[in-house]
Amino acid sequence: MKKKKKTTASTLVGKIAPEVLSFTAGKDALLDHVLIEPDCIGTAAHVTMLAEVSDVLSRVEVGKIIGELVSIMRRSRSGKFKIALRDQDVHLAVEKALSKALGATGRKVHTARSRNDQVALDLRLYAREEILCAITEATTLVDVLLAFARKNAAVPMVGRTHMQPAMPSSVGVWASAHAESLIDDLSLLRGAYTYCGKSPLGSAAGYGVPMPVDRERTARLLGFDAAHWNVLAAANSRGKTESVVLSAMEQVMLSLSRLAEDLVVYCAPEFGYFVLPPGYCTGSSIMPQKANPDVPELVRARASSVAACCVAVNGVVAGLPGGYSRDLQETKEPFLNGVSITRSCLGVLGSLVAGLHVDKEALRAGFTPGVFAADAALRLVAKGVPFRDAYRQVKADPPGTAGVSPDQVVASRRVPGGPCDPDIGAMRDASKEASRFARRERKRYHNSVSRLLGVRYPDLA
Amino acid sequence: MKKKKKTTASTLVGKIAPEVLSFTAGKDALLDHVLIEPDCIGTAAHVTMLAEVSDVLSRVEVGKIIGELVSIMRRSRSGKFKIALRDQDVHLAVEKALSKALGATGRKVHTARSRNDQVALDLRLYAREEILCAITEATTLVDVLLAFARKNAAVPMVGRTHMQPAMPSSVGVWASAHAESLIDDLSLLRGAYTYCGKSPLGSAAGYGVPMPVDRERTARLLGFDAAHWNVLAAANSRGKTESVVLSAMEQVMLSLSRLAEDLVVYCAPEFGYFVLPPGYCTGSSIMPQKANPDVPELVRARASSVAACCVAVNGVVAGLPGGYSRDLQETKEPFLNGVSITRSCLGVLGSLVAGLHVDKEALRAGFTPGVFAADAALRLVAKGVPFRDAYRQVKADPPGTAGVSPDQVVASRRVPGGPCDPDIGAMRDASKEASRFARRERKRYHNSVSRLLGVRYPDLA
Amino acid sequence: MKKKKKTTASTLVGKIAPEVLSFTAGKDALLDHVLIEPDCIGTAAHVTMLAEVSDVLSRVEVGKIIGELVSIMRRSRSGKFKIALRDQDVHLAVEKALSKALGATGRKVHTARSRNDQVALDLRLYAREEILCAITEATTLVDVLLAFARKNAAVPMVGRTHMQPAMPSSVGVWASAHAESLIDDLSLLRGAYTYCGKSPLGSAAGYGVPMPVDRERTARLLGFDAAHWNVLAAANSRGKTESVVLSAMEQVMLSLSRLAEDLVVYCAPEFGYFVLPPGYCTGSSIMPQKANPDVPELVRARASSVAACCVAVNGVVAGLPGGYSRDLQETKEPFLNGVSITRSCLGVLGSLVAGLHVDKEALRAGFTPGVFAADAALRLVAKGVPFRDAYRQVKADPPGTAGVSPDQVVASRRVPGGPCDPDIGAMRDASKEASRFARRERKRYHNSVSRLLGVRYPDLA
Amino acid sequence: MKKKKKTTASTLVGKIAPEVLSFTAGKDALLDHVLIEPDCIGTAAHVTMLAEVSDVLSRVEVGKIIGELVSIMRRSRSGKFKIALRDQDVHLAVEKALSKALGATGRKVHTARSRNDQVALDLRLYAREEILCAITEATTLVDVLLAFARKNAAVPMVGRTHMQPAMPSSVGVWASAHAESLIDDLSLLRGAYTYCGKSPLGSAAGYGVPMPVDRERTARLLGFDAAHWNVLAAANSRGKTESVVLSAMEQVMLSLSRLAEDLVVYCAPEFGYFVLPPGYCTGSSIMPQKANPDVPELVRARASSVAACCVAVNGVVAGLPGGYSRDLQETKEPFLNGVSITRSCLGVLGSLVAGLHVDKEALRAGFTPGVFAADAALRLVAKGVPFRDAYRQVKADPPGTAGVSPDQVVASRRVPGGPCDPDIGAMRDASKEASRFARRERKRYHNSVSRLLGVRYPDLA
């Protein structure tokens, strides 16, 4: 193999062979677009603090920098600020824009920081907003499921195990069970939000700087609970943070995938319990009759995609030596993807369930005699037969079901959490509380940013 | 292929071909041994409630059943209670033992329950205790790391990124960074504990029973926060619960794997920063000189094993139709394994770090001139040079390091979270708080069980 | 934390603290039992070669050693040879037994080898036999599926996409499709077998020894294709070999999981296409009427378990520094598990499909009018209408199906690979060829071992 | 939640709500660009066959269609053919373009096919070319490694296990070990190529069509070995094919990740064995002295990314019901990504190793006395001491190393596969053979396509 002369690209921080630049920074130049605003906001906090604790920047300079950062954010929104491959990433792109606009003042902004703490910060700010949005979307889906459950509380539905008919149940139980699963996931999303509550800003390359930077101050400016205690812990939190957020998203997707599977199965004509809303099925290119449940199928499959995002991140983090390694860059794409997939699945299922048609006759038709066998055994128990004997008796001699009505059986199950009283009120309260939490936290963050930038955020007006 | 006559095995619930029994129940008969106590405790709560809300069991019968359950637990501890393959699982084995000892009274205990809610309950009780133990073990390791950090707070250590020398740091920073990572994981373990806070008992096969079982009552008897609102949600929580617990364990393992990697690297003679305690290295069968860091290597590798346990469970849960399916049995082994691996890694690293020898001379020798380059640039910044210009100047003309002492440089970094002031006090408080939480919760659970069984738990005296 | 005095365990190669021995070698003492025979066979080859190329061992000594190895193998089969924890692993256990029985002669067997090449060899010998067995079992299942397909070639079955009725098909097409998928997997199993074709024996710790060991000779003695070219490559193949074998197993499991899913779905009464053979369903502890498809459910779930075995191994191997690291021990359990799960699933499905009952009426009842819509469009095409226009016409105005018989429609589809001519002959040939390959290779290996040990293998008579 | 009026998008095959279109088809519109050429080539084969076996298309029409397909391919290369979201995917986009250009003739091309067999075909054609390219790139890297090995055959290098010094070895052994690992992977790539050797074209939606389509004919036209025997097997091969290809790629990445890890470690100044070529290191934004091994770090991390691609695909395939489900779409992105990542890593490491600088002094300096301990024990063995006794003797009383020269020790290890005779010739032959195979197969495919399209392929001139 002949070595050929290569022109190397020159960036703010050194010279890199073009194919190496493309190999190392290729995807960042694309992926980092969603990080432009967090990067600008973080820089605003950093320079604000810097002016307070040192002479490196004057207040006037800080004003100019923040003005320019807001301008970059606006240009980014209108598609006029792009990250070029030769900039490597959002951090150098923003620093270059500042240097171009402000000269020496711009070349000062990287004082006491490193791209390592910048990207950790940007991802954390991004993660915090996304988690809050996901909580809001999950509570919307919960509310839709609970409304659906209440409306169909007494509609009989065969309860199944092993996909086989098992015992009498109702559409209300089915829908509110999926709601409760999501409510449980909300606590995990909030746990992830808490995990993201420490600011890594000021840890620089993971070892701090010989300057009196005030990490608690920038943490407060950005709405964090606190700064990391230890600078190296801040660096080591990169990767793990992505993993923790994705794990919570994965749990949401696991819940959604089971709802999706139920929808796929129950929309098959052999069941026919549900009919998807018009516009939510897609056709076949060869079979004119087709109306396929593509949306639930994709939700089901995307649970695997998000799970794979976790695997990707965890594989990178496991066994990595302490401090930043470039490997961590590979956590960015699965992190952004996994979060975005989860949010879109929450959104689309909300609309889908809201428009779901229930075929009551098909649901009633699903009640085969065996569905009532356990009830029969328990009636014998009520007469004093030990359960295991009653079980054997019913197994040997299944009772007839003449005159048994699914509707009556379901209506008679008045136990808490049962068909006609799925504990919807408590669930709705839980959902509301989570929804309020998300709204309040976003408001708090937006207020912090507005104060920091001196313009209203997020509208930048 | 000739079909041959097969004798089918007869269990409490039906006949199964022997090779099918072995295929379906083979591992349960082994794995379920750790579930014997939770199963007995759960049954005690169930029959207690049953006698309160119905005539199925009298108080005297309940007394006999609980007495027999305690006897099973004692026999299990002394190796005299075994689960046979033909019993399929712990639930049928315990029911059979009760029936054998108590006749008709024993045959009543399965009234209003199913193995589905039994195993969900058993795993949850097991998970709750294991999480609390893991929290305790993690806080022990945190304390060991913090003690190590304080003792070596000012010992210079090259801070690294990309495994390359980066900036001055200290052994104190290194050790307390790993402590902080674990402290952050503690919040995830507690989140998993909260997720496990709902009792599935009484949901039966996932659709309740036509009897007024009091699920809140059994939840309280067993020390849970509450029962699941919805019976099907209780059934659907199987699998997801294992996944949530394993995800938290996986985060702990990710933290430990990075500590382990650092130990492997820094014990190599080219670094020689640390020497493992005697008895913690293993030799080679061919090379007499060897003292290998097998323990940290295995911890590093076992992070992958626990990650794979998560993948196994999530793969089972994703896309499963609602209600119990036998697939869920496959979550048991990875769940038990993943939890047990994590706990043993926490334990062994605690002893290892406590005995770790620090070679200060080797650590000082690691300081190459480049380690001070960023400091040099920041000194120029202090003189008014914009950072990016200072950076370029130092890059073009690296300053000499004559007379620079790593010890002095480290000692002069007095910023919060820096070498000589890693914020150890706050971390120790966080660790103590978590430790107290775990102790309190275990105590509370043990008291509940003691009341329920009428003997002191866990000693059964 | 108080440091307490610890007694260290003394093994052939050094002293290890007891809790460290349990942490590092705990599972090996159990798992290694299946490696006792491969280890003895490998040692027999090694000493045979050693006596040929050096004076280290005489031919008489080799005879004694091999005699003792055969004795160990026999004792192991009758449960009388156990690996104790203090032996750490099979290699030291066998060496100790030889030393005990033969004195100085026994203490010579480890000349020019390391446990690193021993375990790599043992796993490879084990893998090769297991792959051949899996091939045989897969061809048996293929044959069962093909027999089932031929018997039911013309039985109408609705072809589905998206779980929705799509186009007319047959039970024959369904069954032989699953057979073909397995036939394709056979090539992957054979690829894995080829990958395992190089002997690592003689690479010692991965760097050879300063002695003229003849690696090609031991490779031939053990039936390998060749030795690794490079000694370090032999060492580095550990882990990757397990991964390659598991990947092939995983593909088999993916195929089986789709067959299993079809069985679960089509056994639900809403379809009722198939009825599992008696003894292959398991009951419920609460619902007397239940006959659940536990076997296919577990096969489906175990595809995730085997996939997780791959993830575990790959996670260990990825990014590992060159040469042996103790991490690699963690590949053993998932490797042994994954292989064993796959083989048992192949076996149980063979019996299950052989006894599967087909409900022809239920299958015919599944034909809804839409199933014939694509046919109707293609009839218009035959009359000259462009397909997309015909498609739109049929979609707008679905033709009636009066008088359409599923049996006739299926019978008329005489295209190759279609319902009445699934190309079963070619598939059967492919299956036979693979079956012959596996039988021939096992025979060849058994002959090599018989020559080496001087007794008939595998019966050791 | 209020239901709002939604305008639905109208495509060739039906109406879909806009948010559903974006949810279901959003990524396909982007990802499918790489499938435009395979799709056109497949369509050319299909219409050619169709005209031969039926009257649906005349030879003149076929000529026009192929002319238009070539035009689409050319427009696609010059960026003038785009897939719009409303087209859903490449298949409908091409059909629409043909219909627009050719009217009724265009509307006929979908006769006897489905998007299900189209996409399966497109991915297979794509996979086959990519695998061949990966083989070529892997052989290039092998050749570079072997050239490097020969050049540095006798340069001493400490052989390591557990990252600790183990035994004497050489740079030649190190480099050719990595080459051999890749050579072994080549057989897996070829196995994946064989697995992709069956054409799915003509299986339509997985159940064939009631027309005499000649699947063997289209298979030959496209350079396949054969068509799938069974139409449903063709459909079921979707997803598994992606998985099989990715598994082979993953094995390549595992090999590369270990090479990468070695490079990262040995470029650390504490070792300093290798220096990366200029332009292959990247700097730090804060530390002027930095030259980081980003390229090997990213290769190492990307092994996890490709592993995650496998996990994503396998998660989708596992347990999927027979026949096409929309879930399978989710296999496309990880498939395309995983293949592309692997190829770029092979490429960049080729250039990197070619420019790697070797620091012989640093390598020699790595030889600590312990490295020679096993040699010392074997010298005692040569004098008649049983190995285990010699081992203990050396352990107790390590010999001095005065006068031992690493160069002489390495030079004296003349065993096959050892330092001075890594069996490079045989490896080079294996590499050449694989390289020839890839070239020949690509040529064969290009010739088939050229004949089919009537223009030279791939240049379309």
Side-chain angles (χ1 to χ4, degrees), chain A residues 35-336:
Chain A
L35 301 181
I36 291 174
E37 299 209 3
D39 201 71
C40 290
I41 292 167
T43 296
H46 182 69
V47 295
T48 299
M49 177 277 293
L50 220 49
E52 291 169 0
V53 302
S54 78
D55 297 330
V56 170
L57 286 167
S58 69
R59 298 188 124 225
V60 173
E61 284 180 309
V62 168
K64 282 186 190 161
I65 292 167
I66 289 181
E68 194 56 31
L69 289 167
V70 171
S71 158
I72 290 172
M73 289 164 77
R74 285 192 183 122
R75 270 140 57 200
S76 160
R77 290 189 185 184
S78 60
K80 284 177 208 138
F81 184 84
K82 300 275 185 198
I83 302 167
L85 179 55
R86 69 179 174 281
D87 298 330
Q88 292 189 39
D89 50 41
V90 63
H91 324 298
L92 293 182
V94 168
E95 185 182 345
K96 197 168 83 174
L98 293 175
S99 300
K100 199 177 156 199
L102 306 174
T105 299
R107 297 202 300 281
K108 290 178 185 175
V109 297
H110 205 70
T111 309
R113 48 195 330 214
S114 155
R115 286 183 292 179
N116 297 352
D117 66 336
Q118 274 189 284
V119 66
L121 175 69
D122 294 359
L123 289 171
R124 198 131 336 155
L125 291 174
Y126 183 81
R128 281 163 68 86
E129 275 234 85
E130 291 292 307
I131 295 171
L132 296 176
C133 293
I135 289 175
T136 300
E137 287 150 358
T139 57
T140 301
L141 177 52
V142 165
D143 294 344
V144 170
L145 282 164
L146 291 178
F148 185 86
R150 212 172 24 194
K151 192 173 153 198
N152 299 287
V155 177
M157 180 175 184
V158 167
R160 284 166 196 280
T161 61
H162 308 261
M163 229 176 163
Q164 300 271 336
M167 288 178 76
S169 188
S170 75
V171 173
V173 167
W174 175 81
S176 79
H178 286 298
E180 182 169 349
S181 183
L182 279 167
I183 289 172
D184 291 341
D185 295 333
L186 287 172
S187 78
L188 301 171
L189 288 172
R190 288 171 75 161
Y193 184 76
T194 302
Y195 191 92
C196 294
K198 287 171 165 181
S199 168
L201 183 54
S203 60
Y207 304 99
V209 282
M211 281 182 61
V213 295
D214 187 344
R215 298 191 287 123
E216 288 297 332
R217 172 71 176 135
T218 47
R220 275 194 313 278
L221 285 172
L222 294 166
F224 283 100
D225 304 333
H228 280 276
W229 288 311
N230 178 299
V231 283
L232 180 53
N236 286 350
S237 71
R238 175 79 202 280
K240 265 193 61 107
T241 305
E242 291 90 307
S243 171
V244 167
V245 176
L246 283 174
S247 289
M249 297 288 164
E250 187 181 15
Q251 291 302 328
V252 171
M253 288 304 295
L254 287 178
S255 294
L256 297 187
S257 78
R258 298 196 71 180
L259 169 57
E261 167 76 2
D262 279 355
L263 289 169
V264 170
V265 171
Y266 293 142
C267 286
E270 280 75 9
F271 295 91
Y273 294 174
F274 302 131
V275 180
L276 296 181
Y280 277 73
C281 294
T282 61
S284 155
S285 69
I286 176 172
M287 294 167 290
Q289 86 281 11
K290 281 291 223 159
N292 295 320
D294 294 60
V295 169
E297 287 174 294
L298 284 169
V299 170
R300 180 173 66 181
R302 284 174 190 168
S304 292
S305 305
V306 175
C309 292
C310 279
V311 169
V313 169
N314 295 344
V316 167
V317 173
L320 209 59
Y324 182 82
S325 291
R326 186 64 179 263
D327 309 62
L328 289 163
Q329 174 183 318
E330 282 296 292
T331 66
K332 203 189 279 174
E333 190 177 6
F335 169 67
L336 298 178

Side-chain angles (χ1 to χ4, degrees), chain A residues 394-412:
Chain A
V394 171
K395 194 184 182 87
D397 181 19
T401 52
V404 178
S405 142
D407 290 78
Q408 282 171 4
V409 168
V410 165
S412 70

Side-chain angles (χ1 to χ4, degrees), chain B residues 160-162 270 284 297 391, chain D residues 160 162 270 284 297 391:
Chain B
R160 286 166 195 279
T161 60
H162 308 261
E270 280 75 10
S284 155
E297 287 174 294
Y391 171 98
Chain D
R160 284 168 195 279
H162 307 262
E270 280 75 9
S284 155
E297 285 174 294
Y391 171 99

